């Protein structure tokens, strides 16, 4: 079962979040040769953004990111996301899911 993690993106600011996939003993899981894909959607499934995902295989880390230009273009209150692990292009695990809140730029409010 996937973990639940909710986070906030600040509009107009570069967003970077590092996630580490660990086993039951707390050791990082080697993800060498694997990929990750993240998608942010409205609650009814309409695509909002697909952040970049860079996998650091041996460390079990995934760095999720959106540029400041991408976050400046976002316009939602709260959305949902999921983070999947893929091997050979095939999803093998949904690592995380949850809600994303957009903290709007005060100039756009």
């Amino acid at each position: 079962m996937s973990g639940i993690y909710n986070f906030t993106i600040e509009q107009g600011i570069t967003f970077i979040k590092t996630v580490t996939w660990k086993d039951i003993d707390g050791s990082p899981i080697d993800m060498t040769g694997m990929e990750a894909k993240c998608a942010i959607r409205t609650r009814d499934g309409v695509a909002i953004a697909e952040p970049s995902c860079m996998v650091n295989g041996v460390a079990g880390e995934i760095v999720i990111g959106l540029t400041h230009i991408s976050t400046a273009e976002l316009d939602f209150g709260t959305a949902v996301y999921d983070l999947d692990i893929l091997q050979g292009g095939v999803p093998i695990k949904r690592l995380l899911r949850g809600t994303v809140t957009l903290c709007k730029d005060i100039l756009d409010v």
Side-chain angles (χ1 to χ4, degrees):
M1 180 188 262
S2 59
I4 297 175
Y5 180 76
N6 304 319
F7 61 89
T8 300
I9 295 174
E10 294 184 76
Q11 189 177 41
I13 304 298
T14 298
F15 172 78
I16 298 173
K17 179 70 67 184
T18 301
V19 175
T20 304
W21 186 14
K22 296 180 181 180
D23 65 20
I24 198 164
D25 297 322
S27 299
I29 293 177
D30 186 349
M31 294 192 301
T32 301
M34 296 182 191
E35 302 168 71
K37 182 175 182 181
C38 183
I40 300 172
R41 298 181 184 87
T42 63
R43 292 189 183 273
D44 57 355
V46 177
I48 294 174
E50 285 193 17
S52 64
C53 293
M54 186 174 68
V55 175
N56 181 353
V58 175
E61 293 178 338
I62 303 162
V63 179
I64 305 164
L66 287 166
T67 67
H68 69 284
I69 295 168
S70 295
T71 66
E73 295 172 355
L74 296 175
D75 187 21
F76 65 90
T78 302
V80 294
Y81 83 96
D82 53 28
L83 174 64
D84 294 342
I85 306 299
L86 297 85
Q87 191 162 33
V90 177
I92 60 167
K93 169 126 179 105
R94 173 149 298 143
L95 192 59
L96 290 175
R97 62 186 171 89
T99 59
V100 180
T101 302
L102 180 65
C103 180
K104 293 192 176 184
D105 189 335
I106 196 163
L107 299 175
D108 292 335
V109 175

